Amino acid sequence: MDPIDKLRLLSEDSQYDLACSCGTSEKDRRKRGLDGKWLYPVPMAAGGYGIMFKTLMSNACSSDCRYCPLRQKGNIHRCALSPDETASLFMSHLQRQWLLGMFLSSGILDTADRTMERLVASAEILRRKHRYRGYIHLKVIPGASDAAIDAAMRVASAVSLNIEVPGRKHAQKLSSRKDFDTDIVRPLKYIAAQTAKGSRYARIRTTTQFIVGASDEADREIITYLDGIYNRLNFRRAYFSAYQRGLGEEGIPGERFILASEADQRQDASDRLTREHRLYQADFLLRKYRFNATELVFDDKGNFDLSEDPKLAWAKRHPEQFPVNLATASKETLLRVPGLGPTYVERILCQRRMARVTSFASVGLKGKNAAKAKSYCVFS
């Protein structure tokens, strides 16, 4: 295969890792590039979206993660890009279309550190040979040594290591070759320490990702780990990828992936995506709405209600908090109102410094969100 053909295949296989873009709305979805499907919109701090060049260096993998179609026994066409090919392809595309940067990952080639050497080598070629000073996001391979992680952070703008599942018991169901504490938790903690405020690599953006529904984990378990990721490890973002049933079993005669939860077995693709969406909503409550993880509402099995967003579920559980007076309520209180997000809360606070807020229309809130908020507010 020539490098362009390999890139088409490897960029398609990179679709399961969302840790460089949100993927929760149409404008976040990947777009077809000039040579294939490897361009992804990424929210930018200053607003708007940049385009990310995203690929694997190799889809060969020595691991056995049972949710992943790229695992060792998976029946797929294997190929790999060399560091020189990876760098050259990126620069070729950069000359034809403005790119925010590159997201580079890989299957595990024999060992984590050998794989990290190839990822880092690609970034080093871009930095030193091509004098590229833009954004490079490198995936940290589970089990990578401290030295390999340091090498990645020297050349990267961002790094990510996927936590995958909330805890050892779930990890053991999905892989016999990965040790959750040694291969996942240890490097996550090391990354957190090296990127802490005032540390050498404090400039590095850090993210992670959960695979949702591959085991029988409850939403409450995910949220507990998510709280630790933000408040103990101080990672920038966590992402959620709904397990796509069928991908984990494809091409393995005689082996069937077993979901331990009967409820999960009954869920169709739409329900699994809805569950992913509820987790993103809960994540937003923790990061943007000043909610505490212990405040979120779960059913008796520890899961979110698929029919109702977590913020509305909290509001219904706490009628004593409402109605909220838009003329006097604090920012934190306004953020608790269903239908009001950070943007509209800021508009309300801004307008009431100059005049009384007499309607949602005056701050541009309308439609379903206005109808939802109306039940929880007064304007006096």
Side-chain angles (χ1 to χ4, degrees):
M1 299 175 69
D2 67 31
I4 290 294
D5 288 334
K6 288 191 284 188
L7 183 60
R8 285 195 182 99
L9 180 60
L10 292 170
S11 62
E12 287 293 318
D13 286 343
S14 73
Q15 67 180 295
Y16 309 109
D17 197 325
L18 305 175
C20 73
S21 62
C22 189
T24 56
S25 70
E26 275 306 310
K27 61 185 177 181
D28 294 335
R29 305 298 185 193
R30 63 185 184 146
K31 309 292 188 220
R32 183 185 294 275
L34 299 177
D35 297 314
K37 298 178 180 178
W38 63 75
L39 301 179
Y40 287 67
V42 179
M44 301 176 70
Y49 286 77
I51 300 298
M52 183 77 70
F53 177 100
K54 179 182 180 188
T55 188
L56 301 176
M57 286 194 70
S58 175
N59 60 4
C61 191
S62 61
S63 194
D64 65 343
C65 301
R66 299 178 72 185
Y67 61 83
C68 181
L70 306 181
R71 69 196 180 283
Q72 189 177 53
K73 293 183 180 180
N75 183 21
I76 66 168
H77 186 76
R78 308 287 182 174
C79 67
L81 291 166
S82 70
D84 277 313
E85 287 174 328
T86 303
S88 295
L89 285 165
F90 174 75
M91 293 305 299
S92 174
H93 207 91
L94 185 64
Q95 290 169 4
R96 289 177 290 166
Q97 177 173 348
W98 181 85
L99 298 171
L100 173 64
M102 177 172 70
F103 177 92
L104 191 58
S105 184
S106 181
I108 304 174
L109 297 167
D110 294 338
T111 67
D113 276 11
R114 182 189 169 198
T115 309
M116 292 298 300
E117 287 176 5
R118 292 170 64 87
L119 294 170
V120 171
S122 300
E124 287 177 336
I125 292 169
L126 286 173
R127 297 295 195 210
R128 296 172 184 174
K129 179 180 178 181
H130 298 287
R131 304 296 180 185
Y132 177 67
R133 296 292 178 262
Y135 183 90
I136 298 177
H137 185 144
L138 294 181
K139 177 62 64 177
V140 173
I141 303 301
S145 67
D146 294 351
I149 296 171
D150 283 336
M153 290 193 289
R154 281 195 291 270
V155 292
S157 312
V159 295
S160 56
L161 170 60
N162 291 349
I163 189 170
E164 299 176 351
V165 291
R168 169 182 283 272
K169 71 173 183 177
H170 297 295
Q172 290 175 333
K173 295 176 183 178
L174 301 181
S175 175
S176 64
R177 300 186 184 182
K178 287 181 186 175
D179 182 275
F180 185 74
D181 294 327
T182 300
D183 296 335
I184 303 293
V185 175
R186 179 198 57 78
L188 281 173
K189 288 182 176 179
Y190 183 76
I191 292 169
Q194 298 306 306
T195 58
K197 186 176 180 180
S199 299
R200 179 181 179 185
Y201 299 113
R203 63 177 177 81
I204 299 288
R205 178 184 173 91
T206 53
T207 62
T208 189
Q209 176 176 294
F210 290 89
I211 307 299
V212 179
S215 183
D216 60 340
E217 80 286 337
D219 293 336
R220 189 196 301 273
E221 293 177 277
I222 293 176
I223 295 299
T224 297
Y225 271 79
L226 183 66
D227 183 54
I229 286 166
Y230 288 143
N231 294 315
R232 291 195 295 276
L233 301 184
N234 294 310
F235 268 47
R236 184 77 62 86
R237 279 296 307 272
Y239 297 86
F240 308 93
S241 180
Y243 171 64
Q244 301 178 53
R245 191 168 301 145
L247 293 175
E249 302 87 354
E250 184 178 352
I252 305 183
E255 182 175 342
R256 178 177 178 273
F257 184 83
I258 299 172
L259 292 172
S261 165
E262 291 183 3
D264 280 345
Q265 291 176 12
R266 290 196 299 269
Q267 281 189 350
D268 59 19
S270 176
D271 285 342
R272 292 194 296 276
L273 290 173
T274 301
R275 183 185 179 198
E276 176 190 290
H277 182 59
R278 295 292 177 237
L279 286 164
Y280 271 115
Q281 289 177 317
D283 171 82
F284 208 66
L285 293 182
L286 299 182
R287 290 188 301 110
K288 299 292 186 179
Y289 288 79
R290 304 182 184 180
F291 274 71
N292 186 289
T294 60
E295 296 180 272
L296 300 181
V297 178
F298 304 94
D299 64 20
D300 57 1
K301 294 182 179 179
N303 293 314
F304 291 120
D305 186 341
L306 294 183
S307 67
E308 191 169 71
D309 78 73
K311 187 179 181 184
L312 183 59
W314 178 88
K316 289 182 176 180
R317 180 71 67 88
H318 294 279
E320 75 282 359
Q321 302 292 326
F322 303 99
V324 167
N325 190 332
L326 294 188
T328 59
S330 67
K331 179 177 181 178
E332 184 174 31
T333 299
L334 290 172
L335 285 170
R336 301 281 172 138
V337 176
L340 294 186
T343 298
Y344 289 106
V345 167
E346 289 297 335
R347 289 182 184 179
I348 290 169
L349 294 174
C350 182
Q351 180 171 321
R352 76 185 193 187
R353 294 187 194 107
M354 300 176 288
R356 180 183 172 190
V357 179
T358 58
S359 70
F360 290 125
S362 65
V363 293
L365 185 66
K366 55 187 177 180
K368 292 181 179 180
N369 285 333
K372 189 184 297 184
K374 185 178 180 180
S375 301
Y376 295 91
C377 297
V378 292
F379 293 94
S380 59

